Amino acid sequence: MFLNLRTTTSNLTVSIFSFLRSHTTLSLNPNPINPLTKTQLKTLVLNQYTHGKFSNLIQKVVASPSVLLTACQNLTSNGLNSPDSSLVDSVSKRFSVEEMGRELNENRFDVEACCVKMLPSRRKGESLILPNLKLKVVIEAVRMVLEVVYDDRFATFAYGGRVGMGRHTAIRYLKNSVENPNWWFSVVLNRKKFDFKHVDKLCLIIEEKIQDGFLIDFIRRLFECEALQIELGGCYLGRGFPQECGLSSILINIYFNGFDKEIQEMRLQIDRENPRLDSNEGVLGSRVFHKPIRIYAVRYLDEVLAVPPSVLHPPMSEKAIRARKKYLRQKEVRALELRNARERNRKKLGLKILGHVFKKLKQSDGFKSEFHIENEVRDIFRTWADEVVLEFFESLDERWNWHRNLSAGNFLSLRHIRDQLPQELVDAYDKFQDQVDKHLKPAKARKALEEEERRAEEGEQRKYAERTVEDLTKLCMKVAAPIELVRKAVKMAGFTNNMGRPRPIKLLIALEDTDIIKWYAGVGRRWLDFFCCCRNFTMVKTVVSYHLRFSCILTLAEKHESTKHEAIRHYTKDLKVSDMNGIEEVHFPTEREIKMMGDKNFSDPKPVDGAISLALIRLASDDSPYACSAHFCDRTDIILYRIRLLQNRLNVNPLDEKKWVPGMGAIHESLNRKCLPLCPDHINDLYMGKITLQDIDCTSFVDVD
């Protein structure tokens, strides 16, 4: 079915005069505009530092066309990282960075005109104010400048919204640095809107370091028009939701910087009062253990908390101890059975070799009695050992007479006989005699083996006791994924039924097979990347490898009206699909790939909230006169997708923790049922979790009748 489309009048229409003016400005400029590197931007900002403060940052830095173009490059989500003409052309089709710079320099930039009000799909729903792409560029430019000013001044324990200082970095700091704490407390902020009194305090904090009235006025106007909203204690910061402004993270770090400095001063004072003992003082050489008092702190955006320390290996219960002893006994029995099986196989091999040798000896000359040959061979077999038998039978013909003539007594134990024989023969005999004593006279060998096993068992028990004492007394940070909440999210999203078994999601049947697999892959990879640093990561692997994988298989089977086994035969368990050229592609992580995953993620991954609560349903249209909604993407081979949000499908309020998953955020309801034009590359990146709705210009939505 084809649909009639019309675009909203929010900001898709561009004035032809501004379009011509931007092209004329760029073409007449003898010096082409290029994005700045981090070093160049830092130098430009530091040039404005005088008398202990930064001044005129808006007019001298943010208003610079090169800085604005750098902000455009940061917002691109299609890999335009080089300062070539493609970025300049893409930007010039939308607005002029020179004109924007003049407006900022003269304080004529209209923030309110660059805001779009998103109306909800239901009557009692809440509306949302979003900045358009032009305002996003200015916000990103201001964020870059504030990052240069404040990032080096933030405390070392302030995480979130900083390069290389994400969630996993904070978790690693907790696990590796904090040991045996004597006391611990956490700070939990109640949900509260960042109102005007907070804004006034924030502006006062900024004015301590920056003397720029235009910058303070710009931040105030963002809060007044609600394009910038912060909720302390909320669940949407750092999650890629469109309602989060690009300035939220750094402004929160600036707001809490005073609190961080007080904590840091307290830590330094404790360090001065409790110095570490020098190794030359002689105390460390004694049995005295010295542990100085230290204070550790971690803050991630507006969260000043962590899980309390606990014992990593709690003591086992009586039932667990009995089960472990039973397992060890069964393990010993299996090892003994395997050892006996190896001995039995060796014996069979020896009998075959002896049979072959006996047959050859019967056919040879020089032996008178068949009975004598049989007895001699049997005597050899009785004294045959594992390492000697093959070497012995290789030269059996040459040694046969030696064995027959010298088997009467143990004459090689005599010193005067041993001195007359080659040393290699004497060593071989000693090894042979050891094997004889081992197999025919095992009492001495058995006693030695028992003594060796006893010493090994005592050493293992001693090590186990030391580990047990350490495990029961050493308190560490045990980071565990909330597996019950993960299972609740899996059930709420429709991956499993009430009994916890995988089920199909019928809403996704309208998608292409590849898009269905990509959607499941995006959710699974987000979970794996986010929880890879947790101690119970194996349980999260099971959720992805079993529940999500088979839910995807059942959804594909439901779409094609086939059985689960037919879908597995067609797509395999790795969910392989073929592209337009017939080349197989694997988007969902394979079972082997999931099994090999570990704590190797050094980035700051986005949580699964935005992926699991968002479904993009493809629509059919008779024409597509629109460009891709991704930032500065000029592709016109687009497809319209309708946004379907989980909370609206379930008619659940995300603030209701009984029906919603506690701690799980949600995309604002005003985006529900909105339609976005997206090109194949960006819809693929959005499905796979490489980009979020923050990388999409949501104000360029399309109304569908």
Side-chain angles (χ1 to χ4, degrees):
M1 179 181 67
F2 294 96
L3 305 172
N4 295 323
L5 310 173
R6 72 172 188 275
T7 60
T8 60
T9 58
S10 57
N11 76 322
L12 287 179
T13 57
V14 181
S15 173
I16 187 63
F17 300 104
S18 63
F19 178 80
L20 293 175
R21 183 169 60 250
S22 64
H23 272 270
T24 305
T25 305
L26 289 175
S27 61
L28 295 178
N29 190 359
N31 298 321
I33 304 173
N34 292 322
L36 301 177
T37 62
K38 291 185 178 179
T39 305
Q40 293 172 338
L41 178 62
K42 188 173 183 179
T43 303
L44 188 61
V45 174
L46 293 180
N47 289 336
Q48 306 303 317
Y49 185 77
T50 57
H51 304 292
K53 287 189 177 182
F54 293 88
S55 59
N56 299 327
L57 291 178
I58 288 289
Q59 294 177 311
K60 300 295 184 181
V61 182
V62 177
S64 172
S66 297
V67 175
L68 294 174
L69 193 62
T70 306
C72 296
Q73 180 177 273
N74 291 348
L75 291 177
T76 55
S77 54
N78 55 358
L80 289 177
N81 296 321
S82 58
D84 52 9
S85 59
S86 58
L87 177 61
V88 178
D89 295 340
S90 180
V91 173
S92 62
K93 293 177 182 178
R94 292 164 173 82
F95 48 78
S96 169
V97 290
E98 289 90 346
E99 180 63 26
M100 189 189 306
R102 285 192 291 269
E103 293 177 357
L104 291 170
N105 190 25
E106 300 171 2
N107 200 21
R108 294 187 293 106
F109 187 81
D110 193 353
V111 175
E112 290 76 8
C114 296
C115 296
V116 178
K117 187 175 184 180
M118 308 288 289
L119 298 177
S121 57
R122 59 190 185 98
R123 294 181 180 179
K124 297 183 179 180
E126 297 181 358
S127 60
L128 176 67
I129 305 297
L130 290 179
N132 62 7
L133 186 56
K134 184 177 180 180
L135 182 55
K136 276 188 174 183
V137 172
V138 182
I139 290 174
E140 175 63 19
V142 174
R143 187 203 64 80
M144 295 189 307
V145 172
L146 292 178
E147 183 181 38
V148 174
V149 174
Y150 283 100
D151 193 66
D152 294 337
R153 293 171 172 82
F154 288 145
T156 57
F157 56 84
Y159 297 88
R162 304 175 63 186
V163 179
M165 301 285 284
R167 294 178 176 87
H168 286 187
T169 311
I171 293 298
R172 288 187 179 92
Y173 171 75
L174 287 174
K175 294 196 298 185
N176 300 330
S177 300
V178 183
E179 291 184 1
N180 292 325
N182 296 327
W183 50 268
W184 192 271
F185 71 93
S186 58
V187 179
V188 180
L189 300 179
N190 297 326
R191 300 179 70 101
K192 188 174 183 180
K193 185 178 179 181
F194 202 84
D195 54 16
F196 290 106
K197 66 177 181 180
H198 296 94
V199 175
D200 294 338
K201 184 177 180 180
L202 174 64
C203 293
L204 292 176
I205 295 174
I206 295 176
E207 289 176 349
E208 294 177 359
K209 186 59 61 178
I210 300 175
Q211 187 176 359
D212 190 348
F214 288 177
L215 177 61
I216 301 299
D217 181 65
F218 176 76
I219 295 176
R220 287 186 179 277
R221 283 189 291 169
L222 287 177
F223 278 103
E224 290 173 359
C225 66
E226 297 184 349
L228 171 58
Q229 299 185 59
I230 298 177
E231 184 182 20
L232 298 175
C235 297
Y236 69 90
L237 291 176
R239 300 173 186 249
F241 293 158
Q243 61 262 33
E244 180 185 359
C245 180
L247 284 174
S248 299
S249 298
I250 193 167
L251 291 182
I252 285 180
N253 285 331
I254 295 173
Y255 185 79
F256 285 103
N257 191 37
F259 170 78
D260 296 341
K261 287 183 177 179
E262 293 184 5
I263 297 296
Q264 183 65 16
E265 183 61 32
M266 188 185 304
R267 296 178 63 189
L268 295 176
Q269 181 180 356
I270 294 297
D271 292 348
R272 290 190 296 266
E273 295 176 356
N274 299 272
R276 295 184 180 274
L277 293 180
D278 191 1
S279 59
N280 298 325
E281 295 182 9
V283 180
L284 295 180
S286 64
R287 296 179 179 272
V288 178
F289 178 75
H290 174 69
K291 180 183 177 182
I293 300 176
R294 293 290 181 266
I295 294 180
Y296 299 93
V298 172
R299 180 181 63 81
Y300 183 85
L301 295 178
D302 60 340
E303 302 175 9
V304 193
L305 54 94
V307 293
S310 58
V311 176
L312 292 183
H313 305 283
M316 293 190 298
S317 61
E318 292 294 333
K319 183 177 180 181
I321 294 176
R322 292 195 300 269
R324 179 171 179 80
K325 290 182 178 179
K326 181 179 179 181
Y327 166 74
L328 293 177
R329 288 195 300 268
Q330 293 176 350
K331 186 178 179 181
E332 292 178 357
V333 171
R334 287 195 298 268
L336 181 60
E337 291 176 351
L338 290 175
R339 186 164 59 251
N340 294 337
R342 287 195 295 267
E343 294 292 339
R344 186 170 57 253
N345 294 334
R346 290 172 183 170
K347 182 178 179 180
K348 291 181 180 179
L349 178 60
L351 288 173
K352 289 182 180 179
I353 295 174
L354 286 172
H356 178 72
V357 173
F358 181 71
K359 182 178 179 181
K360 292 296 182 182
L361 290 175
K362 286 174 61 177
Q363 298 174 358
S364 64
D365 296 333
F367 294 92
K368 298 180 180 180
S369 175
E370 179 179 344
F371 178 76
H372 177 70
I373 295 174
E374 183 177 357
N375 289 338
E376 292 294 336
V377 172
R378 287 177 178 175
D379 291 339
I380 294 171
F381 174 70
R382 291 190 185 99
T383 59
W384 171 66
D386 297 338
E387 294 83 5
V388 183
V389 62
L390 294 179
E391 298 179 1
F392 182 79
F393 280 101
E394 286 177 357
S395 58
L396 183 61
D397 293 337
E398 293 82 5
R399 301 182 183 181
W400 184 262
N401 292 329
W402 278 84
H403 180 269
R404 184 179 58 185
N405 297 328
L406 302 178
S407 60
N410 190 9
F411 73 100
L412 286 179
S413 61
L414 302 177
R415 181 177 297 277
H416 67 278
I417 298 295
R418 295 170 67 92
D419 294 340
Q420 298 177 14
L421 295 176
Q423 186 64 33
E424 295 180 356
L425 179 60
V426 175
D427 295 340
Y429 174 78
D430 292 340
K431 294 180 180 179
F432 178 77
Q433 192 65 36
D434 292 339
Q435 296 298 323
V436 171
D437 294 339
K438 177 180 178 181
H439 292 280
L440 298 182
K441 298 178 181 179
K444 183 178 180 180
R446 186 186 301 114
K447 186 176 180 180
L449 291 175
E450 290 177 353
E451 182 66 21
E452 183 180 355
E453 291 178 357
R454 185 184 63 81
R455 288 196 300 266
E457 185 177 358
E458 289 179 355
E460 184 65 27
Q461 290 179 354
R462 184 173 61 256
K463 293 180 180 178
Y464 177 75
E466 294 175 356
R467 291 197 304 267
T468 302
V469 172
E470 182 180 0
D471 293 341
L472 296 179
T473 56
K474 181 180 179 181
L475 296 177
C476 298
M477 303 305 301
K478 182 171 68 175
V479 181
I483 196 64
E484 294 299 327
L485 298 182
V486 171
R487 289 171 179 165
K488 184 176 180 180
V490 167
K491 180 181 177 182
M492 185 179 66
F495 295 111
T496 58
N497 55 21
N498 293 329
M499 299 181 64
R501 297 176 180 175
R503 62 177 293 271
I505 299 179
K506 296 184 178 181
L507 178 67
L508 304 177
I509 293 178
L511 298 177
E512 298 290 337
D513 294 353
T514 305
D515 292 341
I516 293 176
I517 296 175
K518 288 179 180 178
W519 186 83
Y520 277 95
V523 175
R525 290 187 183 276
R526 287 260 186 111
W527 252 324
L528 294 173
D529 292 340
F530 189 76
F531 290 117
C532 68
C533 60
C534 297
R535 188 173 179 82
N536 57 346
F537 185 42
T538 305
M539 305 182 72
V540 181
K541 290 182 180 180
T542 303
V543 171
V544 176
S545 185
Y546 173 65
H547 295 93
L548 268 66
R549 186 186 305 277
F550 280 91
S551 177
C552 182
I553 292 174
L554 292 174
T555 302
L556 294 171
E558 183 81 11
K559 175 183 177 181
H560 297 285
E561 298 180 354
S562 61
T563 63
K564 177 182 69 175
H565 298 287
E566 292 174 347
I568 293 177
R569 282 196 299 268
H570 181 76
Y571 299 100
T572 72
K573 284 188 177 181
D574 293 334
L575 296 172
K576 297 180 180 179
V577 291
S578 301
D579 59 4
M580 299 297 294
N581 300 323
I583 302 175
E584 285 190 346
E585 296 178 343
V586 180
H587 303 286
F588 199 92
T590 63
E591 293 181 343
R592 178 178 177 83
E593 183 183 355
I594 294 176
K595 187 178 297 184
M596 298 298 292
M597 286 183 176
D599 189 7
K600 298 181 180 179
N601 196 342
F602 293 95
S603 61
D604 189 16
K606 296 288 191 300
V608 75
D609 309 17
I612 197 174
S613 62
L614 171 67
L616 296 171
I617 307 303
R618 179 174 178 173
L619 301 181
S621 59
D622 52 356
D623 56 355
S624 56
Y626 319 109
C628 180
S629 296
H631 295 162
F632 302 107
C633 180
D634 297 330
R635 293 185 59 173
T636 57
D637 54 334
I638 58 94
I639 299 174
L640 285 175
Y641 290 88
R642 187 188 296 276
I643 298 176
R644 296 294 301 274
L645 298 181
L646 179 63
Q647 66 266 27
N648 292 83
R649 288 193 287 120
L650 301 178
N651 194 20
V652 175
N653 185 4
L655 299 179
D656 187 358
E657 294 186 353
K658 293 183 179 180
K659 298 182 179 180
W660 193 257
V661 180
M664 175 176 163
I667 300 173
H668 197 274
E669 64 172 340
S670 63
L671 293 175
N672 187 50
R673 304 191 67 83
K674 296 293 189 297
C675 296
L676 294 175
L678 294 169
C679 66
D681 289 341
H682 286 110
I683 189 61
N684 173 73
D685 294 342
L686 192 59
Y687 275 133
M688 296 296 294
K690 297 179 181 179
I691 63 175
T692 62
L693 287 182
Q694 277 188 326
D695 303 305
I696 305 295
D697 184 14
C698 295
T699 61
S700 61
F701 66 91
V702 177
D703 273 341
V704 179
D705 292 336

